[in-house]
Amino acid sequence: MYGKWIDCRVRPGAREAFAAGQRRWSAISDQPGLIGQAGGWAPDGDRALLLALWSDEPVYARFMRERHDPAAAHADQRAGYTEIAVATGPVVLTMPGAAPSLPAALARATTLRAADCLLRPGRADHFLAVQHEVWAPGMAAADGMLGGTVTRLAPDRYLVTTLWATPAAHHAYTVHHLPALLARADVPADVRTLTGHLLPLEPTWRVVPEPAATTE
């Protein structure tokens, strides 16, 4: 699997135009290899964040080569943002949750929790072991956690994303599960800086594969 993290700084007063353009990305729902895309407005201002997942890097590269530029022209968002940062990389861990699949998790989630982690030198192996042994089973035990991924965006940068059924479900996790998991994980030993986002997802920005592409 292959992930993409998009961070757009939207011009003041351009939120509605940007959002209208984001809705037009639904045109790629028939793209082979698309697992799904979801995003929303960061609470800290005119900033749009989006997560896209693809079955593998070759299908993503094909999309970028054959379809991305016409789709972007159709969305017509370029004038609406001052800067955009895009990071991509392989998904190195898929975290189970209450949803039967990641497309189903993307379709049902109302909230995305993202942790953008810059690691200390030489700590990647331990960081990933902790994701496997502590975080994945610990979050899977929380009610309302639908599924998640860990994506390697650079040798020392990992994006941990989890999809939640409701904001209340995520809040309950932070109260009842997170303290014990933090004690076991010893995050400061591995992570130099962590930028966290708790993102309310915009339903009309969601892009999931067309039903016709699935089997009953």
Side-chain angles (χ1 to χ4, degrees):
M1 196 181 306
Y2 201 72
K4 183 175 189 176
W5 182 239
I6 306 166
D7 184 343
C8 290
R9 306 296 177 128
V10 178
R11 296 182 188 278
R15 282 172 63 115
E16 290 304 317
F18 181 91
Q22 197 59 46
R23 292 192 288 271
R24 298 187 191 109
W25 284 96
S26 62
I28 69 168
S29 62
D30 63 345
Q31 183 69 26
L34 176 68
I35 292 173
Q37 179 170 289
W41 296 108
D44 58 354
D46 291 329
R47 184 181 186 187
L49 298 169
L50 298 120
L51 172 70
L53 296 172
W54 296 82
S55 60
D56 55 46
E57 186 175 5
V59 299
Y60 169 72
R62 179 183 176 187
F63 163 72
M64 291 299 295
R65 184 173 61 249
E66 299 178 358
R67 189 97 180 264
H68 176 271
D69 289 356
H74 176 64
D76 192 22
Q77 293 171 294
R78 183 63 189 89
Y81 56 82
T82 58
E83 59 182 291
I84 183 171
V86 178
T88 62
V91 173
V92 295
L93 174 64
T94 301
M95 291 183 279
S101 65
L102 275 173
L106 285 162
R108 290 170 50 189
T110 69
T111 304
L112 172 68
R113 167 63 180 171
D116 194 345
C117 303
L118 291 177
L119 304 189
R120 299 186 186 280
R123 300 299 296 183
D125 288 347
H126 185 264
F127 173 83
L128 290 174
V130 170
Q131 298 302 314
H132 279 277
E133 298 165 13
V134 178
W135 290 110
M139 285 191 285
D143 289 341
M145 204 290 275
L146 302 175
T149 55
V150 179
T151 303
R152 185 173 66 241
L153 300 178
D156 62 347
R157 182 185 178 193
Y158 289 79
L159 182 73
V160 182
T161 53
T162 47
L163 294 154
W164 296 84
T166 64
H170 181 266
H171 177 71
Y173 155 76
T174 65
V175 173
H176 300 296
H177 297 268
L178 182 59
L181 295 174
L182 284 172
R184 292 177 58 201
D186 191 15
V187 174
D190 294 330
V191 178
R192 178 162 52 91
T193 63
L194 187 155
T195 303
H197 306 280
L198 187 62
L199 195 66
L201 295 176
E202 291 287 335
T204 59
W205 294 10
R206 199 182 327 262
V207 183
V208 292
E210 291 184 342
T214 66
T215 57
E216 292 294 337

